């Protein structure tokens, strides 16, 4: 399976935008890019996913590079409740439905 | 509202005992998964099922077993609990298709003394 690379941790100020990067240079044409996050003491929750085009939902935006070798999760206005571990995951639509989680990026929000 | 629940939420047991953790979902999802998460680490897949009577081993399946007799439940059994199995266990479910999101339960904190 194609792998992703994320920074171990990032910091951001409250009420400012946050850009969480993810590199996936070996991505295949059938891989979806998924993002999950895990708030403290909770199970992971889905954030967003995309294939080729940029995507927006109520939680975040996903910007995908034209060559699809990298992507960025954008939180437009971070709050303290966004402090979590964010996981970038590739999922091949033609293969297993399981998810193998990496280590993710721990996002700290400074008040 | 549909949901996924886990029980118990906290469990303390002794080395060598058999332990079963319950996972129940009301979405009628075909896929169900069990993960463990140790302090400071990410989630690791233990076992998963794509439907009734189907079970598959994940990354760290040794010492664990699952069975799927209906759509709603995937119990996880530790045949003979070991201290190395002290962890937080998360259950998840999803519809078929790798693009579908997984919904996670609240977790069970298991301590093996």
């Amino acid at each position: 399976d194609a792998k992703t690379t994320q920074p171990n941790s990032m910091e951001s100020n409250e009420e400012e935008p946050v850009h969480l990067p993810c590199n996936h240079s070996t991505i295949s044409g059938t891989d979806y890019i998924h993002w999950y996050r895990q708030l403290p003491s909770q199970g992971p929750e889905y954030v967003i996913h995309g294939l080729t085009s940029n995507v927006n939902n109520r939680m975040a935006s996903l910007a995908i590079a034209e060559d699809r070798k990298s992507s960025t999760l954008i939180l437009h206005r971070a709050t303290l409740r966004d402090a979590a571990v964010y996981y970038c995951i590739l999922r091949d639509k033609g293969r297993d439905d399981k998810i193998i989680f990496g280590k993710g990026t721990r996002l700290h929000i400074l008040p | 509202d549909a949901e996924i629940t886990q029980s118990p939420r906290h469990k303390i047991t002794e080395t060598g005992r058999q332990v079963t953790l319950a996972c129940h979902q009301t979405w009628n999802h075909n896929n169900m998964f069990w993960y463990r998460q140790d302090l400071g680490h990410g989630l690791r897949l233990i076992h998963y099922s794509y439907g009734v009577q189907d079970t598959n081993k994940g990354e760290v399946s040794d010492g664990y077993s699952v069975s799927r007799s209906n759509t709603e439940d995937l119990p996880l059994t530790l045949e003979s609990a070991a201290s190395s199995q002290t962890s937080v266990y998360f259950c998840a479910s999803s519809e078929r298709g790798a693009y579908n999101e997984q919904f996670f339960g609240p977790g069970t904190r298991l301590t093996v003394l």
Side-chain angles (χ1 to χ4, degrees):
Chain A
D1 289 340
K3 295 184 68 173
T4 64
T5 303
Q6 300 177 252
N8 290 332
S9 66
M10 291 182 63
E11 275 186 359
S12 181
N13 293 319
E14 194 177 11
E15 299 187 4
E16 291 186 356
V18 180
H19 291 237
L20 295 162
C22 181
N23 288 319
H24 28 78
S25 58
T26 60
I27 191 170
S28 73
T30 52
D31 281 332
Y32 282 87
I33 302 162
H34 283 246
W35 284 82
Y36 281 72
R37 73 178 186 180
Q38 187 174 18
L39 303 173
S41 301
Q42 295 188 26
E45 63 176 350
Y46 166 83
V47 177
I48 199 166
H49 80 275
L51 185 62
T52 56
S53 304
N54 294 344
V55 184
N56 300 298
N57 66 21
R58 63 175 179 80
M59 290 181 68
S61 296
L62 177 60
I64 301 172
E66 197 169 330
D67 63 5
R68 300 210 325 127
K69 294 184 184 299
S70 66
S71 60
T72 302
L73 180 71
I74 302 167
L75 308 178
H76 294 286
R77 194 163 171 267
T79 70
L80 295 177
R81 290 175 297 176
D82 292 319
V85 178
Y86 287 79
Y87 299 96
C88 171
I89 300 156
L90 299 183
R91 302 185 68 188
D92 189 323
K93 65 179 181 179
R95 296 174 66 180
D96 277 342
D97 291 357
K98 66 180 185 290
I99 293 177
I100 302 298
F101 283 85
K103 296 194 183 301
T105 297
R106 182 172 295 278
L107 176 64
H108 301 273
I109 304 297
L110 305 175
Chain B
D1 286 346
E3 62 178 355
I4 181 166
T5 58
Q6 295 184 234
S7 62
R9 296 294 312 279
H10 301 270
K11 173 79 175 178
I12 299 174
T13 191
E14 295 176 343
T15 300
R17 289 189 180 268
Q18 184 181 78
V19 176
T20 296
L21 308 183
C23 176
H24 179 79
Q25 52 97 4
T26 58
W27 279 295
N28 203 36
H29 286 161
N30 284 299
N31 299 342
M32 295 186 73
F33 309 86
W34 273 104
Y35 297 87
R36 64 175 287 176
Q37 186 170 37
D38 303 304
L39 192 63
H41 290 80
L43 292 101
R44 291 184 289 174
L45 183 64
I46 305 172
H47 281 287
Y48 57 102
S49 168
Y50 289 154
V52 176
Q53 304 301 331
D54 175 76
T55 60
N56 305 278
K57 294 182 178 181
E59 303 170 276
V60 289
S61 60
D62 287 348
Y64 303 94
S65 64
V66 293
S67 63
R68 188 91 179 270
S69 59
N70 59 53
T71 301
E72 296 80 16
D73 300 288
L74 186 69
L76 177 71
T77 298
L78 288 68
E79 301 293 343
S80 177
S83 57
S84 60
Q85 294 177 307
T86 292
S87 189
V88 179
Y89 291 85
F90 290 102
C91 178
S93 72
S94 73
E95 292 183 354
R96 283 204 179 100
Y99 42 81
N100 286 313
E101 66 177 283
Q102 286 190 11
F103 294 86
F104 284 78
T108 293
R109 183 175 297 276
L110 176 68
T111 301
V112 182
L113 301 176

